[in-house]
Amino acid sequence: KAIAAAIAEHREVRVGVPVPGSEYVEWKDLRAEGRHRILTGKTAEGHTHALVFSRRFLAGGDLVLDWQGDLAAALLRWLQETTTLPVLPAWGPLLLEEAQERRMVQPLAIHAARTLTLAAASVPAGEGRWEELLGELVRRGSLAIPEGVGRGEPRAGRLEEYLAAWAPALAERVQGRHRPRYVPEPGAARHPAIAGLARPLYEPQADMAEALARTLAAQRAALLIAEMGSGKSAMGVATAERLFHGRGGYRTLVLAPKHLVYGKWPREVRAEVPGARITLLRRGSDLLKLWERRSEAPRGPEWYFIARDTAKLGYFRRPGARWGEARTPRWAEAEIEGQARRTLIGIERETGWRCPDCGGLIRDKDGNPVPRAWFCAPRADNAACPACGGRLWQADLTRIRRFAPADFIHHHLRGFFDLGLFDEIHQLSGQETAQGNALGSLSASCRYQLGLSGTLLNGYSSSLHALLWRLFPGSMAAEDLDYRRPMQWVQRYGVLERVTRTRREDAASNAMSRGKRDRVNMREKPGTSPLAYSRFLLDAASFMTLDDVAPWLPPYREVPEPIEMDPELASAYRALEGELLDAVRQALAMNSKRLLGAYVQTLLGYPDRPWDWPEIRDPADPERVIAVPRKLAQGLIRAKEQRLISLCEEGVAQGRGTMVFAQYTGRRDILAHLERILAQAGLRVAVLRADTVPVEDREEWIARQEARGAQVLLTNPKLVETGMDLVNWPSACFFQPGYSVFTLRQASRRAWRIGQTQPVHVRFMVYSGSMQSAALLLMSKKLDAAEAIEGRLNSDGLKALASDEDGSLALARLLVGGLGELPTAEAAWRSAAASVAKPPAAAAPSGLHKATLADLTRHTRVVEAVEGRGRRRVFPGQVVLDLDDLLGLR
């Protein structure tokens, strides 16, 4: 262990290894550079061994090893821990043999001073090739599959059919082995803190508040992921009351969008807890008053509200380190007459950044002085001195002085607030955004943290990375993840596309040989691994849909509406598309992506505004014109606009208000055009704009338009994204759907909430065969991934467009389908097969989450002792898959 530690600390080590069959000793000089990992373990003989290897050794793959020499067993453990594939222990030897033939596993040679039973191999990360291999072996009949369990006995066929047959058995084991923290009992008395609220909650809401309070009592953070309109704020208030019941007083800090801080949230608290003390934190003087009361105990429920835009404010900073010469003493160590001696052999002079605290030279991980440009901007890697931990940035008093609320709370009011309640937390998931950093500071300052959101995931797994670090840093660190490396998270829990372009070198470059050069591009695609749910969300997040709270609500429908272009517009669009595509291909051939933005935005917006779209120029050469869009007549009402008018007229005839959402409301504004053509059709139109209606006045402004008899509301969906109850507008039409899953899901549910009596219809209008249609397809895939992490594995609505979805989600849907045969309340809670177009039936409340693939294939055995090493560690109390026991093989 001492040798391993010395190598990891970059010290040179001389090791004497006896030569077998000889009296000689072979001396080896060992020295390592860069970051390393150390794995230790005991053999059957009781010897402790240490394995030290560079992190770069495993770039793009994993190390699989077994100290007892059973490489097949090690490979099975790796497959069970890193993929969603069901594998049986008896398959190990055949899988190892087939994988070695296909170079999917590369055994490593082991060199050691003594005889070892250790076996190791390098395995590239990724599930696709293993799924293909397993499916081929199942089809071939090479893998033995036990019969007699499940609703079918597939002897040969697709792997999906095998999983579908076993779904009931898997679900029964889940229900028998895994129980939630709180299971409602019919007729049981409600906790006094929840039963005593001034405004009673619905039974599912009260159950959720009880479960969240118990979760926070066991750990310091939790998430409430509840569908828009299900009452997240009411459940948040009830959770705080239940958590701190009997303490005499507590302080809660609410971080929310500005219009909710000044409107909905204070109203909600006053309605449920009439005696609560309400304080709005608007400026620095408000926080200074709290600092003066920092030693006082709360005398009752105290609620403090701060807007996200206020909390993120900060002052200008400059480096606290100084550039200059540093003198570093160099010592020689030796043993003289049995005593260790150090001798000064010289002073090394180096120029670089010096830490303001320790005075030492700031060095990178390889021991070299950091470059002068290292302090060009504040980042996570240059915030503190690697040697002493001192802060390397300070306030710049030569520029504008501005109060920083989140930083002030973090440094001067830490522990003052008992609960941090963060509303719409999905909007704070940015890696290095000001609002995201404010969330991190406030989260670390409160004793407990509760995040609220209706849309946890935006379709991409990376949107969870920074959010989980800010709420659950211990869990992320235990997985050996790095906050500064979000792609590490994507490689493990997301969907990553790797594109390799190979260019063969010409004869002049390789006169005596043939050569080639590869360029690898990696990009994230929609989707997330079910392992992210089981490892980070299973014990910390509660999920609720509007159906669970109000099963009596009218139906909700999402209808994509592709519309054919008229001949004139289609001709102009195809000509523009051809010009842009040729220019983009030429730029990509020269390794430049500068035209992609113009290509996408032009083809998205031109069909809706073809009368004055400007010519497209090369960003690298503004004088060069790439394409000139044909200018068409503005007065014509085209197919998409005519369909919009018809939908609005249908709504008026039925007494239904219609919201129309458009993305282009700035420089290429489309709202004015839509207002004109709708008014010409005899409709009363109201237009909500960000620059005319302040954020805190939008709810009241919309109410005034309703009172004046407005029939159509035109706006950008981001303006009504959060906190709006628009039950008087049951029809919604996305004239331009956009890209953000967060915005789409939030805005589309403004009308479908408690109090709605009319069916809610949401339509997504696109021109067929255009970039708009492709954008809607991408949105459907992102929406599919976002709802899958919440356990909603149905194929209705917009998600039905996602044809080439991630394989793990398709398998999950098959497993969920098997749950329908189980006669339990949990089955009704977890099943997502019923279409949202039908009125949902009331179901008995239950504490189980919605079904996910992780629920069905991972959690069947409770771990009693720590298993695995490094990022593969599984701790006591966690639940893992045990197929032997599951299938009755032991």
Side-chain angles (χ1 to χ4, degrees):
K1 289 184 178 179
I3 294 172
I7 294 176
E9 293 173 3
H10 306 259
R11 289 187 282 143
E12 188 171 353
V13 180
R14 171 165 283 197
V15 182
V17 181
V19 178
S22 171
E23 59 182 7
Y24 296 103
V25 175
E26 179 183 358
W27 291 94
K28 297 183 178 180
D29 292 327
L30 306 177
R31 184 176 179 85
E33 300 292 341
R35 300 177 66 191
H36 287 73
R37 291 186 62 188
I38 303 175
L39 299 180
T40 60
K42 287 188 177 181
T43 63
E45 297 80 15
H47 299 301
T48 298
H49 294 272
L51 178 63
V52 185
F53 59 91
S54 169
R55 291 176 182 267
R56 288 177 293 182
F57 173 74
L58 294 179
D62 285 331
L63 176 67
V64 174
L65 77 158
D66 187 89
W67 293 95
Q68 309 304 323
D70 190 348
L71 194 56
L75 178 62
L76 282 178
R77 287 196 301 270
W78 179 84
L79 286 170
Q80 292 171 350
E81 294 174 356
T82 61
T83 72
T84 59
L85 301 175
V87 289
L88 299 179
W91 297 353
L94 179 60
L95 283 177
L96 178 62
E97 179 182 352
E98 293 284 343
Q100 287 179 348
E101 289 182 2
R102 303 178 185 216
R103 295 187 176 275
M104 297 167 62
V105 173
Q106 298 181 5
L108 304 177
I110 305 297
H111 303 280
R114 298 182 178 88
T115 303
L116 284 183
T117 58
L118 174 66
S122 176
V123 183
E127 184 175 339
R129 296 183 64 191
W130 288 100
E131 182 177 351
E132 180 182 347
L133 172 61
L134 200 59
E136 179 181 332
L137 294 178
V138 170
R139 288 192 297 271
R140 249 169 38 191
S142 302
L143 298 179
I145 301 177
E147 299 180 357
V149 178
R151 63 168 180 255
E153 302 177 2
R155 306 174 187 275
R158 298 195 310 165
L159 182 62
E160 294 88 337
E161 297 173 359
Y162 164 67
L163 277 178
W166 286 82
L170 288 166
E172 288 174 359
R173 274 305 177 90
V174 171
Q175 295 173 10
R177 294 289 185 90
H178 176 61
R179 303 303 300 171
R181 285 196 173 97
Y182 171 67
V183 179
E185 298 180 4
R190 186 72 64 190
H191 190 278
I194 298 178
L197 294 174
R199 187 177 64 186
L201 300 180
Y202 291 100
E203 287 297 316
Q205 292 176 329
D207 292 336
M208 188 66 74
E210 179 72 30
L212 287 170
R214 296 190 183 193
T215 299
L216 288 173
Q219 59 193 46
R220 66 189 296 262
L223 285 167
L224 170 58
I225 313 303
E227 194 171 15
M228 290 63 70
S230 57
K232 293 186 293 296
S233 53
M235 288 183 279
V237 175
T239 300
E241 284 286 297
R242 168 67 177 87
L243 179 63
F244 301 114
H245 180 72
R247 283 187 45 178
Y250 64 89
R251 295 188 178 108
T252 298
L253 175 66
V254 177
L255 178 70
K258 186 177 181 180
H259 63 287
L260 300 183
V261 164
Y262 297 145
K264 185 176 182 179
W265 262 108
R267 291 199 307 267
E268 196 72 46
V269 174
R270 291 190 181 99
E272 294 192 41
V273 190
R277 180 178 179 178
I278 306 295
T279 303
L280 300 181
L281 304 177
R282 303 172 183 264
R283 55 188 66 88
S285 58
D286 297 331
L287 291 173
L288 291 176
K289 293 177 182 178
L290 300 185
W291 181 79
E292 295 172 355
R293 299 175 43 220
R294 64 190 182 279
S295 59
E296 299 178 6
R299 300 177 182 177
E302 297 181 7
W303 286 77
Y304 299 87
F305 300 92
I306 185 170
R308 289 197 318 241
D309 294 337
T310 302
K312 74 174 183 178
L313 297 177
Y315 46 81
F316 290 101
R317 302 183 183 185
R318 63 180 178 85
R322 294 291 183 267
W323 180 266
E325 182 182 81
R327 300 183 180 185
T328 306
R330 297 301 180 189
W331 303 86
E333 298 183 0
E335 184 175 331
I336 302 175
E337 296 179 356
Q339 296 184 356
R341 301 287 183 85
R342 286 206 317 164
T343 303
L344 181 65
I345 60 175
I347 301 292
E348 183 176 355
R349 298 172 181 266
E350 294 179 286
T351 300
W353 289 102
R354 300 179 58 185
C355 174
D357 290 349
C358 66
L361 211 60
I362 302 174
R363 302 178 183 273
D364 59 19
K365 61 182 180 181
D366 296 323
N368 302 317
V370 297
R372 191 156 193 166
W374 200 57
F375 282 105
C376 60
R379 301 186 307 274
D381 61 340
N382 66 11
C385 174
C388 69
R391 299 177 66 184
L392 298 179
W393 290 83
Q394 64 184 17
D396 189 351
L397 301 181
T398 64
R399 306 178 70 179
I400 297 176
R401 300 187 182 187
R402 191 167 54 185
F403 198 80
D407 287 349
F408 182 86
I409 293 174
H410 182 63
H411 294 298
H412 302 289
L413 290 174
R414 182 176 294 194
F416 182 83
F417 300 105
D418 297 298
L419 173 64
L421 207 155
F422 310 118
D423 197 11
E424 307 297 348
I425 198 171
H426 62 275
Q427 297 180 339
L428 310 176
S429 60
Q431 182 80 8
E432 294 295 341
T433 63
Q435 292 188 359
N437 291 334
L439 169 64
S441 298
L442 297 178
S443 175
S445 306
C446 302
R447 183 180 177 188
Y448 300 101
Q449 299 87 37
L450 176 61
L452 308 181
S453 177
T455 51
L456 177 64
L457 196 71
N458 68 352
Y460 293 98
S461 178
S462 58
S463 63
L464 288 174
H465 178 255
L467 191 62
L468 293 177
W469 263 111
R470 286 161 181 152
L471 292 182
F472 312 104
S475 300
M476 299 291 281
E479 290 288 317
D480 199 24
L481 294 166
D482 191 337
Y483 177 81
R484 294 165 294 185
R485 297 174 58 197
M487 289 304 294
Q488 180 191 35
W489 167 275
V490 176
Q491 289 174 346
R492 198 179 304 178
Y493 298 112
V495 179
L496 198 62
E497 180 183 74
R498 185 193 304 265
V499 179
T500 303
R501 291 182 173 86
T502 301
R503 186 175 70 180
R504 298 195 175 276
E505 303 291 351
D506 54 20
S509 302
N510 295 273
M512 301 297 293
S513 62
R514 288 177 295 175
K516 64 180 182 179
R517 185 169 59 189
D518 292 345
R519 191 180 76 234
V520 179
N521 293 328
M522 302 177 69
R523 64 174 180 176
E524 185 182 6
K525 300 193 70 177
T528 189
S529 169
L531 289 174
Y533 174 87
S534 62
R535 292 186 178 179
F536 301 100
L537 300 178
L538 183 65
D539 62 345
S542 294
F543 297 91
M544 173 179 279
T545 66
L546 195 54
D547 303 356
D548 303 321
V549 181
W552 60 85
L553 280 180
Y556 172 88
R557 292 182 59 209
E558 291 177 349
V559 183
E561 288 208 11
I563 299 171
E564 295 292 336
M565 299 183 192
D566 59 77
E568 182 187 29
L569 179 59
S571 174
Y573 178 84
R574 298 304 171 201
L576 177 61
E577 182 182 44
E579 292 182 56
L580 287 173
L581 189 57
D582 290 341
V584 168
R585 285 173 176 169
Q586 293 176 13
L588 291 176
M590 302 174 64
N591 301 329
S592 174
K593 299 180 180 179
R594 66 184 186 276
L595 300 181
L596 288 179
Y599 171 73
V600 172
Q601 295 302 323
T602 298
L603 294 184
L604 279 175
Y606 173 76
D608 297 327
R609 191 185 174 100
W611 57 86
D612 65 347
W613 200 272
E615 57 188 17
I616 296 91
R617 296 179 179 271
D618 191 338
D621 182 9
E623 299 298 326
R624 180 189 170 210
V625 177
I626 297 173
V628 180
R630 190 188 309 170
K631 288 181 171 52
L632 306 182
Q634 182 178 0
L636 295 179
I637 296 180
R638 305 197 179 273
K640 193 174 178 183
E641 298 161 352
Q642 184 59 56
R643 177 56 180 157
L644 175 63
I645 294 174
S646 300
L647 291 175
C648 294
E649 290 176 341
E650 292 174 7
V652 171
Q654 299 171 5
R656 300 162 55 89
T658 303
M659 291 184 290
V660 179
F661 298 127
Q663 292 294 320
Y664 291 95
T665 58
R667 184 160 54 98
R668 299 187 178 107
D669 177 53
I670 194 67
L671 292 183
H673 174 70
L674 295 180
E675 180 185 15
R676 180 178 59 82
I677 63 173
L678 291 172
Q680 288 176 353
L683 297 167
R684 293 190 293 273
V685 183
V687 182
L688 173 62
R689 295 184 180 272
D691 55 354
T692 57
V693 183
V695 61
E696 60 270 21
D697 297 336
R698 287 172 188 166
E699 191 171 11
E700 181 181 352
W701 183 89
I702 293 176
R704 290 200 303 269
Q705 303 307 312
E706 295 172 0
R708 294 172 181 172
Q711 299 166 330
V712 180
L713 175 63
L714 291 173
T715 186
N716 189 302
K718 291 190 69 66
L719 302 188
V720 296
E721 184 177 1
T722 56
M724 296 286 190
D725 297 330
L726 304 178
V727 294
N728 294 328
W729 306 87
S731 294
C733 178
F734 283 82
F735 191 77
Q736 297 167 331
Y739 277 125
S740 172
V741 167
F742 289 150
T743 301
L744 183 143
R745 294 183 68 190
Q746 293 274 357
S748 63
R749 301 302 176 92
R750 291 303 100 197
W752 198 51
R753 51 217 310 111
I754 297 174
Q756 182 58 263
T757 59
Q758 301 185 64
V760 176
H761 300 157
V762 180
R763 292 175 170 84
F764 305 92
M765 303 177 66
V766 295
Y767 277 120
S768 301
S770 70
M771 184 63 73
Q772 295 179 354
S773 181
L776 190 63
L777 178 62
L778 173 64
M779 183 68 72
S780 69
K781 296 178 181 179
K782 293 163 66 175
L783 183 63
D784 209 15
E787 295 194 349
I789 200 68
E790 300 168 14
R792 300 168 63 182
L793 300 171
N794 59 328
S795 299
D796 301 307
L798 185 60
K799 301 186 305 301
L801 295 177
S803 55
D804 55 339
E805 63 186 355
D806 178 56
S808 62
L809 300 183
L811 298 179
R813 286 200 177 89
L814 286 169
L815 290 175
V816 171
L819 294 177
E821 300 178 1
L822 299 174
T824 62
E826 285 84 352
W829 173 276
R830 306 166 99 185
S831 177
S835 171
V836 293
K838 302 176 181 178
S846 167
L848 284 181
H849 296 298
K850 292 280 186 176
T852 67
L853 186 60
D855 289 321
L856 306 177
T857 61
R858 295 287 174 191
H859 311 287
T860 57
R861 175 170 63 85
V862 178
V863 175
E864 298 179 357
V866 176
E867 298 180 3
R869 299 178 181 88
R871 71 181 189 187
R872 310 297 182 203
R873 283 179 296 177
V874 183
F875 296 94
Q878 294 192 12
V879 189
V880 297
L881 178 66
D882 188 346
L883 271 178
D884 283 349
D885 184 56
L886 174 66
L887 303 179
L889 299 180
R890 71 178 183 194

